[in-house]
Amino acid sequence: MPKYQKWFRRWFNNPKQQEDSQEKQSSVELLPVYPSIQDNLTFLKNAFGHSSDLQIQELTIGKSPTVRIGIAYIDSLVNADKVMTLIKDLLGKELTQPNETHPHSHVRDWIKENLTVVGDMKEIRDWNRVSKMLLSGHTVVFVDGTNQAVSGDTSSVEHRAVTEPKTQIATKGPNEGFTESLRTNISLIRKRIKSPNLRVKKKPIGQVTRTDVALLYMEGIANPKVVKEVKKRLENINTDKILDTGEIGEWIEDQKFTLFPTLVSYERPDSIVSHLAEGRVAILVDGTPYAIAVPVTFLKILQSAEDYFMRYDLASVLRLLRIVAFMISLYGSAMYIALTAFHQEMLPTSLLISIGAQRQGVPFPVMVEALLMEGTFEILREAAVRAPRALGQPLAIMGAVVIGETAVVAGLVSPIMVIVVAITGISSYVAPEAAVTITSRILRFGFMLISGVFGLYGILLVTIAMVAHMQSLRSFGVPYLAPISPLVWSDLKDSVVRLPHWMLSNRPHELKPQRLWRIKYKVGDRVEYDD
Amino acid sequence: MIKYGLILSLLFFPLFMTGCTGYHQDIDQLAIVSAMGVDKAANGQYRVSFQVINSSQIASTKTGGGGGKSVPVVVYTDTGKTLIEAIRKASQQVTKRLYFSHQQGVIIEEKVARAGLKDVFDILERNIQQRLQLNVLIARRGTAEDILKVLIPTEMLPGSRVGEALKTSSRVLGETLESNVRDVVHGLTDDGIEPAISGIELIGKDEQGQSMSNLQESRPVAYTRINGIALFRDGKLQKWMEGNTARGAVTLLDRLKNTVVNINCGDKKDALAIEITHARTKLGADMNKGKPVLTVQMAFLGNVYEADCPIQLNDQETIDRLQHRLEREMKREVLSAVKTAQKEKCDIFGFGETLHRSQPQRWKTIRNRWNPIFSKAEVRVRAKAIIDHAGLRFDPFWSSK
């Protein structure tokens, strides 16, 4: 045991080594800016290791009192036009008479006051900020003789335009999807919530990438305890890079070892807005079009954004259908194994005869046959997702012909097995959330194995274990199976079915929102919105 | 905390105490038995036959791929002192494991039935593979084995034919009974009721009926027919009821689903057919000064199905008359059934059970001599019939002027 622990610590959790490296890096950055621009620029060049896209220019501005200034920016992050205007502006303008005592700080103030061509002017005192500003696309101006620098926003980062979401497709409702730019994503949310109570808290995470992570919530609706908890967990992330919300998710999940997703990522701003309005917290990450909403429950994950846009009766039927499909994708092949290997008395006679005849000459027992087919199907599916688009067609043909047709003709599998695999495979894609799809895909194999050993009895045992496990899950303190367990009658209105919007007067109890009622009514008065 | 842990573990352990596991058997390794036959062999042994489905043959015919190359079923036979001995001995002939859960019927030879059913039914009720809804039939003409061997063209599975044929004839004609293992065991064990089982008979040359050539004839040389109801006393077959008497018995058992009754129309005998679509029967039994009185109340709903005589069916008086005649006809049939049963001292209708339920104390004193008491009982029958329509027209087309 101690040996194992040692090994574990060395590989996963070596605090000593980590601290060392951290000190090395940050100690450089916390130095103050030097008063001489020559020193500054040399230091900067060294700090960036003479990176070829770090551009540095020295200029002399003003006529009678001349001042040396240094301009630094990173070529690949800035808009060249903006930098050009900035430089022109600096050169073209006449300096006012300098203050006798502090000639150089005067210049700095002058720059700050007169340079309006670029936004977000900031004073900088230390190298930490300098490098940060440079890396987020700002242009930093050093003034000779002062130990302060000024930065202006000249950033222009390449990113996609707002397009339709790729994964969470809806036939009804808004069709905008998030992009890779955090700014755009926040603006997509802001423009849907016209309330000052929408709070956006940004924080860079990742020692190397310094990715901006934004925390969004509605002040006055979201439970402050949940907000605090999310903040705390975000602060505790200790990593070098963050590229996607999925990485954040793994750090902040309640239960790390579970097949069930306890947070969901959305590509649709409207989904995130509806979560925010219900009192959830959203986490957006710069550089990815997926945003996380927490806390979520299992039933919430099985819901689609569309459910709220189409008529409630249709939405309810579709939700039921989705739950049934999830069950089929979980139990389909396992049930087939159990029925054909253990409980033949449960099949209608003619079906039994037909299956029996089809299985004649198949060299494997039902379970092996099913595992083979499901495994092949999974491989095929994974290949189809990863393969270059040009290969899609041949892959589909190979899958359909080789697996569907030839394997049957060759007598390796029975035709009914192909049907079962196809039905369970398609059913797993009905779930609107990819995470649930993967859950059912993995759990299916467990169910198949146990049903091959114990039949329906085994399926029942594993189901009991699975439900017990789901029952134990929490998403930021919210029971995973709410509102069914613990049962909250008034929340069942928006769970397995969805009642009309005018009946959904309260926010979900399980979130413990600050304001439970969506709308405040005054008797005999107009409806007043509560925000 | 310890208390909850204890409760949880107590709830947990029963999960492993079920008897529902350990029956792994792949579907293609099963010999699906579609019907079973029990005959009497020499020296007091049973001769048990199984009709096993040749599933590849049936499935290939279904998909239209040729078919007809080999027989759809195979019949295996063996003898034994007990039924299970015969079943296990038959496994010497069958390559796969016999599987009984999909059995459609059990056919018992009349000789076995006359000797007593009790031994046969124990295994049918005890074995976990057997279903209690299994149809039971008595082979009247020919042995059970021969009946199982007959192939007929319209049915791929002669075994399921037994069940289907019984169902159809019981629901269309109403002269046979769909009795299953549960009914029979109920009749065998309970006081004041005896089992009643329908018969099946083999018609034609059974030797030819067993080969595929029977399937190529438009008029099969051998076929089977469901016919009659057997009366039992103490588990032993006593007498057969047929035709209208059998229908009376079905009516008394409140098992009449649908039937057609012929009644006289003016002078013409049996010229008007009435279809009974709903029937309801209630039995009663009472002791009146030491003598039992059996009461039967019946209600029928019917419609005119065929009229081969000039008759005004749009006249309510005519309809009333027809209703009255129908009531009389049904009373006659029911009485004839009761009389037959009384003569044989076989209370298949469960009058004794009715009396047991209404007067449990009285029943205790007479339960041992119920059969003789039943045979001398007075029977009162009341019937009410309603004819609600006459099909698509009133008068026969040729009688309208």
Side-chain angles (χ1 to χ4, degrees):
Chain A
M1 197 63 200
K3 225 176 191 178
Y4 166 75
Q5 272 180 345
K6 233 177 172 177
W7 179 86
F8 193 84
R9 265 177 74 172
R10 193 164 73 231
W11 283 100
F12 293 107
N13 199 11
N14 195 338
K16 209 178 163 195
Q17 206 179 345
Q18 238 169 29
E19 270 165 32
D20 285 354
S21 62
Q22 220 165 3
E23 253 169 48
K24 233 182 205 170
Q25 279 181 349
S26 51
S27 59
V28 176
E29 288 168 1
L30 279 170
L31 283 174
V33 175
Y34 304 114
S36 144
I37 64 160
Q38 218 55 50
D39 289 350
N40 278 335
L41 297 180
T42 322
F43 182 85
L44 195 63
K45 272 181 200 161
N46 288 332
F48 276 78
H50 299 275
S51 201
S52 53
D53 60 349
L54 175 72
Q55 300 290 324
I56 289 174
Q57 290 177 15
E58 278 182 68
L59 299 170
T60 311
I61 58 167
K63 274 179 191 141
S64 53
T66 55
V67 179
R68 300 278 297 164
I69 58 166
I71 293 172
Y73 57 90
I74 292 176
D75 204 7
S76 47
L77 294 178
V78 297
N79 184 338
D81 287 347
K82 278 189 190 167
V83 179
M84 278 313 289
T85 355
L86 178 84
I87 293 171
K88 265 188 201 160
D89 234 41
L90 283 172
L91 288 175
K93 277 202 178 136
E94 198 62 30
L95 268 178
T96 49
Q97 277 305 309
N99 187 323
E100 289 301 324
T101 45
H102 302 289
H104 299 289
S105 62
H106 162 76
V107 177
R108 197 193 63 229
D109 288 343
W110 177 84
I111 292 174
K112 260 182 80 182
E113 276 159 30
N114 287 283
L115 282 185
T116 44
V117 281
V118 288
D120 201 16
M121 296 300 281
K122 269 181 190 144
E123 273 178 53
I124 304 173
R125 283 167 191 277
D126 61 86
W127 283 107
N128 192 13
R129 297 274 293 169
V130 169
S131 66
K132 200 180 157 192
M133 283 336 232
L134 281 174
L135 289 172
S136 47
H138 287 231
T139 300
V140 179
V141 179
F142 298 97
V143 182
D144 200 16
T146 65
N147 56 356
Q148 283 171 8
V150 179
S151 83
D153 189 0
T154 50
S155 67
S156 131
V157 183
E158 292 302 318
H159 57 78
R160 283 192 299 139
V162 175
T163 50
E164 281 183 23
K166 263 192 199 141
T167 52
Q168 290 160 344
I169 299 149
T171 49
K172 218 165 179 293
N175 247 338
E176 278 178 336
F178 283 133
T179 70
E180 278 79 3
S181 153
L182 181 62
R183 266 181 82 131
T184 320
N185 293 350
I186 292 177
S187 81
L188 285 175
I189 293 173
R190 265 282 185 215
K191 80 174 184 188
R192 285 180 170 80
I193 302 183
K194 294 182 184 63
S195 157
N197 290 335
L198 175 65
R199 298 280 187 272
V200 181
K201 308 275 184 209
K202 266 197 232 174
K203 180 185 186 308
I205 297 180
Q207 225 169 58
V208 171
T209 59
R210 298 230 148 259
T211 314
D212 272 332
V213 174
L215 174 76
L216 277 77
Y217 62 94
M218 294 298 292
E219 183 73 46
I221 298 174
N223 186 349
K225 279 185 190 161
V226 172
V227 176
K228 214 175 132 193
E229 181 66 27
V230 176
K231 272 186 191 162
K232 201 182 98 194
R233 292 192 192 179
L234 283 177
E235 270 158 25
N236 285 341
I237 296 178
N238 192 4
T239 181
D240 55 345
K241 65 164 180 63
I242 293 289
L243 295 176
D244 183 48
T245 39
E247 286 172 78
I248 298 259
E250 256 176 49
W251 281 98
I252 64 172
E253 267 173 334
D254 290 51
Q255 171 65 268
K256 317 276 188 209
F257 302 103
T258 176
L259 287 173
F260 289 91
T262 51
L263 28 79
V264 220
S265 49
Y266 291 97
E267 207 186 345
R268 306 171 56 87
D270 49 311
S271 298
I272 289 290
V273 168
S274 93
H275 281 310
L276 287 173
E278 279 189 343
R280 291 190 182 82
V281 177
I283 300 166
L284 275 70
V285 173
D286 195 21
T288 175
Y290 291 94
I292 295 182
V294 288
V296 285
T297 58
F298 184 63
L299 283 177
K300 197 76 204 168
I301 298 173
L302 282 184
Q303 294 168 7
S304 146
E306 253 182 318
D307 292 353
Y308 294 98
F309 305 144
M310 64 173 86
R311 280 182 54 91
Y312 68 93
D313 39 8
L314 302 177
S316 300
V317 171
L318 289 184
R319 276 188 184 180
L320 288 170
L321 181 79
R322 244 176 256 142
I323 289 170
V324 170
F326 178 73
M327 294 290 176
I328 291 175
S329 73
L330 261 191
Y331 291 119
S333 359
M335 281 291 203
Y336 173 74
I337 294 173
L339 288 183
T340 49
F342 287 90
H343 314 281
Q344 290 91 354
E345 69 276 2
M346 291 175 78
L347 293 166
T349 308
S350 38
L351 183 62
L352 175 79
I353 293 167
S354 156
I355 294 176
Q358 288 178 24
R359 280 208 35 85
Q360 250 159 29
V362 174
F364 312 111
V366 190
M367 186 178 71
V368 175
E369 188 193 2
L371 284 174
L372 261 178
M373 278 308 283
E374 289 281 1
T376 319
F377 187 59
E378 291 297 329
I379 292 169
L380 206 80
R381 177 151 57 180
E382 193 61 20
V385 174
R386 307 276 162 246
R389 203 161 292 172
L391 265 177
Q393 190 92 4
L395 220 104
I397 292 168
M398 254 159 64
V401 173
V402 174
I403 308 229
E405 187 68 30
T406 326
V408 171
V409 174
L412 283 176
V413 292
S414 53
I416 191 143
M417 192 68 240
V418 179
I419 298 174
V420 171
V421 169
I423 289 174
T424 52
I426 292 167
S427 301
S428 68
Y429 279 94
V430 174
E433 181 48 46
V436 183
T437 307
I438 295 163
T439 304
S440 67
R441 272 162 64 182
I442 296 171
L443 277 179
R444 180 190 307 156
F445 282 92
F447 275 113
M448 278 158 67
L449 284 171
I450 196 78
S451 79
V453 181
F454 292 118
L456 284 181
Y457 174 61
I459 294 182
L460 184 79
L461 283 187
V462 176
T463 305
I464 290 173
M466 184 185 80
V467 173
H469 170 69
M470 288 172 84
Q471 180 65 50
S472 77
L473 288 179
R474 296 284 181 280
S475 174
F476 287 82
V478 172
Y480 198 48
L481 289 179
I484 289 172
S485 165
L487 185 65
V488 181
W489 284 102
S490 61
D491 283 358
L492 292 182
K493 290 183 291 192
D494 184 16
S495 56
V496 179
V497 293
R498 180 178 80 72
L499 295 193
H501 281 298
W502 46 265
M503 286 176 83
L504 305 177
S505 48
N506 62 296
R507 302 196 166 95
H509 280 83
E510 77 255 9
L511 298 174
K512 296 205 168 55
Q514 272 191 315
R515 289 195 174 81
L516 183 65
W517 303 100
R518 286 173 203 261
I519 294 166
K520 207 193 279 166
Y521 289 103
K522 272 188 192 169
V523 179
D525 203 0
R526 291 184 294 127
V527 171
E528 200 173 279
Y529 287 95
D530 164 76
D531 49 15
Chain B
M1 204 60 214
I2 293 167
K3 199 169 81 186
Y4 283 116
L6 210 68
I7 291 170
L8 272 178
S9 54
L10 280 179
L11 286 173
F12 181 69
F13 285 121
L15 292 176
F16 302 98
M17 288 161 70
T18 62
C20 322
T21 183
Y23 290 104
H24 182 272
Q25 46 200 3
D26 260 352
I27 203 166
D28 44 337
Q29 284 154 18
L30 298 178
I32 304 162
V33 176
S34 63
M36 195 168 101
V38 181
D39 290 306
K40 223 174 177 59
N43 56 39
Q45 287 191 324
Y46 288 116
R47 187 173 175 77
V48 185
S49 322
F50 319 95
Q51 198 183 60
V52 172
I53 296 171
N54 183 359
S55 51
S56 59
Q57 173 60 24
I58 286 159
S60 71
T61 324
K62 239 187 227 166
T63 49
K69 287 190 187 92
S70 65
V71 283
V73 289
V74 186
V75 177
Y76 297 100
T77 307
D78 220 314
T79 55
K81 277 270 183 213
T82 57
L83 284 157
I84 188 67
E85 190 194 343
I87 291 171
R88 288 291 155 101
K89 269 163 86 180
S91 65
Q92 290 176 324
Q93 308 164 39
V94 194
T95 51
K96 296 170 178 178
R97 203 158 139 187
L98 289 172
Y99 186 65
F100 292 95
S101 288
H102 282 269
Q103 236 185 142
Q104 304 287 325
V106 171
I107 300 173
I108 296 160
E109 200 194 9
E110 190 170 338
K111 270 189 226 161
V112 177
R114 286 202 186 272
L117 282 179
K118 283 178 180 160
D119 305 344
V120 178
F121 276 84
D122 184 70
I123 189 172
L124 292 180
E125 211 202 3
R126 191 184 297 275
N127 186 356
I128 54 157
Q129 279 189 0
Q130 299 287 359
R131 295 189 177 196
L132 293 180
Q133 289 96 323
L134 191 62
N135 287 307
V136 181
L137 284 162
I138 307 286
R140 296 186 68 175
R141 217 167 292 160
T143 62
E145 188 188 343
D146 289 338
I147 289 171
L148 288 183
K149 281 180 186 164
V150 172
L151 303 172
I152 58 160
T154 51
E155 280 286 343
M156 284 319 298
L157 295 175
S160 74
R161 174 201 66 210
V162 171
E164 287 298 309
L166 182 60
K167 201 195 239 173
T168 315
S169 89
S170 305
R171 292 188 181 170
V172 173
L173 187 66
E175 289 178 8
T176 48
L177 258 182
E178 283 180 70
S179 37
N180 53 36
V181 172
R182 199 203 321 254
D183 297 336
V184 175
V185 171
H186 174 67
L188 285 174
T189 53
D190 280 23
D191 279 340
I193 187 163
E194 295 290 346
I197 307 174
S198 276
I200 183 167
E201 50 191 28
L202 177 64
I203 294 168
K205 300 169 190 158
D206 56 320
E207 283 297 318
Q208 257 173 286
Q210 294 167 14
S211 71
M212 289 296 282
S213 66
N214 200 35
L215 297 180
Q216 277 143 17
E217 306 273 344
S218 63
R219 177 77 182 113
V221 284
Y223 56 95
T224 58
R225 204 179 107 185
I226 312 273
N227 185 21
I229 295 175
L231 274 68
F232 285 80
R233 187 174 69 228
D234 296 334
K236 288 176 183 143
L237 195 151
Q238 302 296 328
K239 195 179 161 52
W240 287 97
M241 287 198 286
E242 275 171 35
N244 289 351
T245 314
R247 181 160 66 194
V250 175
T251 314
L252 271 168
L253 286 164
D254 200 13
R255 302 271 280 274
L256 191 67
K257 292 271 185 324
N258 197 312
T259 190
V260 173
V261 182
N262 287 343
I263 54 177
N264 298 346
C265 173
D267 304 335
K268 229 171 153 187
K269 218 170 168 335
D270 289 347
L272 199 93
I274 290 175
E275 182 195 23
I276 292 178
T277 51
H278 294 85
R280 188 105 176 80
T281 310
K282 235 178 125 178
L283 301 184
D286 199 359
M287 297 297 280
N288 190 7
K289 292 172 192 162
K291 283 190 82 182
V293 179
L294 311 178
T295 53
V296 181
Q297 287 182 58
M298 305 185 291
F300 303 100
L301 182 67
N303 54 273
V304 178
Y305 214 80
E306 191 178 331
D308 298 338
C309 54
I311 190 168
Q312 296 287 322
L313 283 172
N314 51 358
D315 182 7
Q316 186 57 43
E317 273 180 32
T318 322
I319 297 288
D320 286 348
R321 228 168 29 242
L322 288 181
Q323 287 176 354
H324 189 64
R325 272 187 210 155
L326 177 62
E327 284 162 14
R328 227 169 40 204
E329 174 66 23
M330 289 314 289
K331 268 189 206 168
R332 204 178 56 73
E333 285 181 6
V334 162
L335 271 173
S336 122
V338 176
K339 287 271 139 56
T340 316
Q342 278 183 322
K343 212 171 137 199
E344 297 296 329
K345 301 188 181 114
C346 306
D347 182 11
I348 58 165
F349 314 111
F351 282 109
E353 206 179 47
T354 320
L355 185 67
H356 185 183
R357 277 183 195 150
S358 57
Q359 301 178 17
Q361 292 303 322
R362 179 77 56 87
W363 173 252
K364 274 182 190 164
T365 62
I366 56 168
R367 60 188 289 182
N368 291 327
R369 45 196 177 92
W370 170 249
N371 279 345
I373 291 174
F374 165 71
S375 69
K376 291 188 197 96
E378 183 193 344
V379 183
R380 291 175 192 161
V381 183
R382 277 165 60 200
K384 174 72 192 149
I386 293 170
I387 291 171
D388 61 349
H389 69 92
L392 294 181
R393 58 181 298 130
F394 288 119
D395 315 338
F397 68 93
W398 43 265
S399 73
S400 53
K401 279 137 207 163

